Amino acid sequence: YSEVLDLQGKEVQLRSVAGPSLTVIDGAAGNDAVITANSGETLATCVSGFTLRGGAGKPFASSYGFDHYGGGVYVGGASSLCVEDCWILENGIGTGTFAGGVFAGGAGSHAEVRGCLIADNFAWASGGATLVDGDATMHLEHCTVTGNSANSWSFGHQGGVSMANGGDVTLSGCIVWGNAGFQIRAFGGVYSSGTSAICTYSCVQGGFAGVGNIGSNPLFVSEATGNFQLQSNSPCIDAGDPAAALDPDGTRADMGCFAFDQGLQVVATATVFGTGCGALALTPVDAPVAGTLGSAVVTNAPSTVGGVAIGWNNTTLGGLPVFPLSLAYLGMPGCDLLHSNDLFGLPVTSSTSGTLDFAYAVPTAPGLLGQHVYLQAYCYAPGANPLEVIVSNGVDWLIGNQ
């Protein structure tokens, strides 16, 4: 949806059906906040399950032409708004932006933000992620606040959570990590007067005083690709408020907006597929259980010079169905490549004549559970073909946790 929404004081429950990964409200064409509550809304008004992106913030005339407040969400006019299970991403524009993600301003205004990812938002002045201003209040509960930025040092350089002019913010069960400048901090100078930040059972980079807080790396699955789920060894698992509602798997609440499912059980398997050339054979030994060594043995090896290749796909390459792919063009007639070569040259060791052993440390990243990984061995074979290399059958690894 390409639009900006003003809730106009209505008591509405605006909820997506498919969730934030599939339901996006993009405010890029609106020169405003993506969501505005500025007409006396109450907490009975709630926005849930959307990605909110591309908002500039609500414009107000200033010495810069216009200042913009709250790229993703603007709450003012003594209004209250509930925002839950949303991804608030890539909001905020250039000079004059305050609160790239969420803004609450003015006495009686309140933003209740629960279970939200607030990432990659920008503010020129303060509060790359959030700003509470002018005696307003804001509560962040089980939110992940990361990768946000603010570039004005004169106002304090608060890339994360910010307060000004009597604004008060509370955080519980949150992760505030990897934001530019300060993670949680008030405006500089006189603007910090009367502000407060109370934070409990949260993971804050650099640490933050409060009951249950930690300062350890939360161990996201992949910050580089925007996967802010927790790895299985994250210190944020079971570290939320013990009095809070249990996670869906029945365990103590985790920190952040993505609960790690400790109840997810995937049985690791290893099966043979395809055929090789020559007599070279790859046989699975230890199934690929996360955090352990998966292994296989290569038999009928004509030499000790060889290795194993690993790939993520055994059917298509670049969207085209190419596997198995004949290797005759390389001088290997009768040999087929059985999968993509995403990792090549993984070493093998020789234990007895004609046998090569392979082992690989299976990562613990939860995003790998249930994923298929494909293996194929190759070996130097003098005189077998013009290239003097043969390949084995394939092994299909299904990564599990048991």
Side-chain angles (χ1 to χ4, degrees):
Y1 303 97
S2 180
E3 59 184 324
V4 294
L5 299 176
D6 188 330
L7 301 174
Q8 298 181 350
K10 298 176 182 178
E11 187 175 304
V12 295
Q13 299 281 318
L14 183 63
R15 300 182 183 275
S16 76
V17 174
S21 63
L22 296 175
T23 316
V24 179
I25 304 176
D26 192 323
N31 191 39
D32 207 331
V34 180
I35 301 292
T36 294
N38 194 33
S39 303
E41 292 85 353
T42 71
L43 283 179
T45 300
C46 194
V47 176
S48 176
F50 295 90
T51 288
L52 309 177
R53 73 189 321 154
K58 184 157 292 296
F60 292 89
S62 75
S63 58
Y64 294 99
F66 287 93
D67 288 340
H68 290 79
Y69 291 80
V73 177
Y74 176 92
V75 182
S79 303
S80 295
L81 180 66
C82 157
V83 182
E84 61 182 13
D85 302 326
C86 287
W87 297 353
I88 303 168
L89 310 175
E90 299 170 1
N91 298 282
I93 58 173
T95 300
T97 304
F98 294 75
V102 181
F103 174 83
S109 298
H110 177 74
E112 185 77 16
V113 186
R114 299 191 293 259
C116 290
L117 171 64
I118 307 174
D120 299 326
N121 301 285
F122 170 78
W124 164 77
S126 180
T130 68
L131 171 63
V132 58
D133 187 19
D135 297 313
T137 57
M138 183 181 297
H139 178 61
L140 303 173
E141 180 178 331
H142 290 290
C143 291
T144 297
V145 181
T146 185
N148 303 283
S149 60
N151 63 3
S152 174
W153 283 97
S154 60
F155 285 113
H157 199 214
Q158 308 92 357
V161 175
S162 183
M163 313 84 70
N165 303 310
D168 298 318
V169 63
T170 57
L171 302 92
S172 178
C174 293
I175 298 173
V176 187
W177 193 273
N179 303 285
F182 295 103
Q183 305 301 308
I184 305 173
R185 192 176 175 101
F187 254 55
V190 297
Y191 303 107
S192 65
S193 177
T195 62
S196 68
I198 299 174
C199 181
T200 59
Y201 295 101
S202 294
C203 176
V204 183
Q205 185 172 3
F208 198 88
V211 176
N213 292 335
I214 63 175
S216 304
N217 190 319
L219 297 179
F220 296 130
V221 170
S222 175
E223 294 180 62
T225 60
N227 186 343
F228 299 109
Q229 297 184 60
L230 303 176
Q231 297 183 41
S232 59
N233 56 341
S234 168
C236 297
I237 295 173
D238 293 343
D241 188 342
L246 297 178
D247 281 342
D249 62 5
T251 62
R252 175 176 165 176
D254 300 338
M255 296 173 177
C257 65
F258 297 112
F260 179 79
D261 187 356
Q262 299 176 64
L264 179 64
Q265 300 297 318
V266 179
V267 177
T269 61
T271 55
V272 171
F273 74 97
T275 58
C277 54
L280 196 68
L282 180 64
T283 303
V285 178
D286 295 306
V289 177
T292 70
L293 289 176
S295 65
V297 61
V298 182
T299 54
N300 304 319
S303 74
T304 59
V305 179
V308 170
I310 288 181
W312 292 102
N313 199 314
N314 71 339
T315 56
T316 64
L317 183 65
L320 299 175
V322 298
F323 299 116
L325 176 66
S326 172
L327 297 176
Y329 73 101
L330 291 178
M332 299 169 61
C335 300
D336 291 328
L337 180 64
L338 299 178
H339 58 71
S340 59
N341 277 345
D342 298 299
L343 288 175
F344 188 79
L346 299 177
V348 293
T349 58
S350 178
S351 55
T352 60
S353 178
T355 301
L356 304 174
D357 298 307
F358 170 73
Y360 188 76
V362 183
T364 58
L368 290 176
L369 289 180
Q371 298 296 313
H372 288 267
V373 178
Y374 305 97
L375 287 66
Q376 187 174 23
Y378 54 90
C379 190
Y380 173 56
N385 53 44
L387 192 63
E388 298 189 323
V389 174
I390 57 175
V391 294
S392 73
N393 58 278
V395 169
D396 177 353
W397 271 1
L398 175 66
I399 297 178
N401 52 12
Q402 63 175 344

